[in-house]
Amino acid sequence: MAETRTDSTTTTTPEPQHDQRCGEADSELLAALEVLGEYRAAREASSAALRQGFFDLAVARRSAGYRQISAGMCSGSARAGATVRVNEAAGTIGPVRRAADGGSGSSGDPLLWFGGALGTPPALREAQRRFADALDQLAGLAQLTRRLAHRQAAARQAIAVARASAHRPDEQAQ
Amino acid sequence: MNEIYFNVDAGYLEGVVRGYRDGLITAPQYLNLTQCETMDDLRLQLATTDYGAFLQNEPSPISTSTLVARCTDALVAEFQYLQQNAAEPISRFLDYITYGYMIDNVILLITGTLHERDTHDLLDKCHPLGLFDSMPALCVASTVQELYSTVMVDSPLAGYFRECLSAEDLNELNIEIIRNTLYKAYLEDFYAYCQGLGEPTASVMGEILRFEADRRTVNITINSFGTELSKDDRTRLYPRLGNMYPEAQTRLARADDMDQVKAILEQYSEYKSMIVGVSLHAPADGDGRGAQSLEDRFFGKEVQLNKDAFEQQFHYGVFYSWLRLKEQEIRNVVWIAECISQQQKDKVGSYTAIY
């Protein structure tokens, strides 16, 4: 008899609310997994670009000579040719911006440090292209890392809310 | 008559250099090197070679830059032993070999100074075989005239500057033109000197230097694609010797891409077999023994010519050939090391085996 009375006094059933919370948690989790998939793809692409870039650099050094293409030949007045603006407060990372003159001080193209207009083998130019591609991908990877962190936090919160809503029907029954 | 008197001046040194030749890494040793998993394994395998003594005091893990430096030290020690025990006329021949390294050092110093590098750092980076007394003064020159009048006039390279004096400022393009002009003059002078030494040195060195001139012609052509270098300037940088002089050089001067270069080389029997199956646009990929690059084919041809030099006796070409084979060996070892450190084991087979 008490159970019937208990049943008849309830105005909203807890299951639909719990189901709604679970649905939201599922959506957040799926969104986080999607961003994780994008992150893994971007990471593999940037790793492949860097790997190939270092290999092309090894080919260029074998071709032109290990003294000509070495860290010691880098310009003492080098400036960054590409920059990324990071806003810590807002938690955002901007796109890669490249200097109009190619950076690198007065020399323009950094390839000129390693043999000028004629002494650079094609493999070195290819390595430069791959490192430039890798830089763009790494900036995108940094942005994805931020998005992934937000998605993970949102998914954890939604799961916690769903778990909390799962305990309330038991408490009310008692 | 050369055979009778050769051993008086150069017999001991020829014996020494043939001993050096026998110390070159063989194909089974290369196989062991390619199977190494880490740089420490590689160093362990190199301990039984000529480089073992130079690597033993290096701390682990060893880098490829350190490997290059120590292997070069081994080469320099052996060559300097030859120089210290050489008298005329063999000493002059050995000096001629060092002029190529002097040109590289001069250009390295000028380029480094232009890019605001420290003078002492640059001097440390010079090749030991190409050092001469007035080198530190190179860093203060800002024009070619100044370079010549203050520094180079007393150096062995003075005569090679004659064709460079029209260039005024030392900027990146002019420096490269100067490098190639100096090397062109050096190669022509070395060739004429070797022809003057008589047989068999003249024929052995003549073939090697003609091939070197042809290779430089092709490399200048390929490297100049997409640069500011005009076709007339390109022609002026080609050495005036070699199988490609003058007809093929005239045609290569007008080439605009790799396909045209290949089409020109295919018409010469010496290079037609080298072009077959070559990949023009990329280094060796796949299993490392797949499509070779043109550069790999040039390395292979150079190794063959230098090995053939040891088949004759009583000539000076063995000294030059040993040095080039040793440099190729260092390239091979460093290539294997790069593939190991970069986890690119599928590319490790792209070295040019010597023996």
Side-chain angles (χ1 to χ4, degrees), chain A residues 11-47:
Chain A
T11 54
T12 56
T13 56
E15 287 80 7
Q17 211 174 25
H18 173 64
D19 287 346
Q20 185 185 355
R21 297 283 185 265
C22 288
E24 289 168 0
D26 286 344
S27 299
E28 290 293 345
L29 191 59
L30 285 172
L33 288 174
E34 202 173 303
V35 175
L36 180 64
E38 289 177 37
Y39 174 84
R40 287 188 65 180
R43 192 174 172 131
E44 283 173 10
S46 62
S47 295

Side-chain angles (χ1 to χ4, degrees), chain A residues 56-70 73 111 114-116 118-125, chain B residues 104 108 176 179 216 219 223 295 299 331:
Chain A
D56 289 337
L57 190 60
V59 172
R61 293 188 75 207
R62 183 178 71 162
S63 173
Y66 299 104
R67 285 174 196 275
Q68 184 171 339
I69 300 178
S70 65
M73 297 305 293
L111 285 187
F114 306 110
L118 297 177
T120 50
L124 192 64
R125 292 183 205 145
Chain B
D104 289 339
L108 186 146
E176 277 311 298
R179 180 209 296 269
R216 287 194 71 81
N219 283 342
N223 288 349
E295 186 177 61
F299 282 143
R331 274 195 289 271

